[in-house]
Amino acid sequence: MIAKPMKAILHALSYGGIEVDAKRLMDAGNEVEMHRIPDALHGFFAFGIQFLHVQESFAYINQFLGKTS
């Protein structure tokens, strides 16, 4: 159980569990966005900012947090 509302952004590959996590967070009163990154490999975030999937993730995160790129 989540004690207090929070913002959450979820990035998913192609597995079904992330939708369940997003719904549970929303049902608990949290602001949630979920994005799928097509063709991204598991752990892609560790590849560094020079990779397109990481750049796409940062764009989603910055937009969600109210920053402009």
Side-chain angles (χ1 to χ4, degrees):
M1 182 172 184
I2 299 170
K4 59 183 177 178
M6 61 182 215
K7 282 188 165 187
I9 186 166
L10 304 174
H11 293 279
L13 301 175
S14 54
Y15 65 91
I18 200 79
E19 288 87 359
V20 173
D21 292 339
K23 183 169 179 355
R24 287 177 61 204
L25 285 166
M26 283 189 261
D27 290 347
N30 298 287
E31 184 178 338
V32 177
E33 286 184 20
M34 191 203 73
H35 299 274
R36 288 189 175 274
I37 309 290
D39 301 320
L41 300 172
H42 181 79
F44 73 89
F45 216 76
F47 294 152
I49 193 66
Q50 69 272 21
F51 288 90
L52 179 61
H53 297 120
V54 177
Q55 293 170 22
E56 185 176 349
S57 293
F58 272 108
Y60 286 131
I61 292 166
N62 287 335
Q63 180 182 14
F64 184 78
L65 296 175
K67 298 178 182 177
T68 56
S69 32

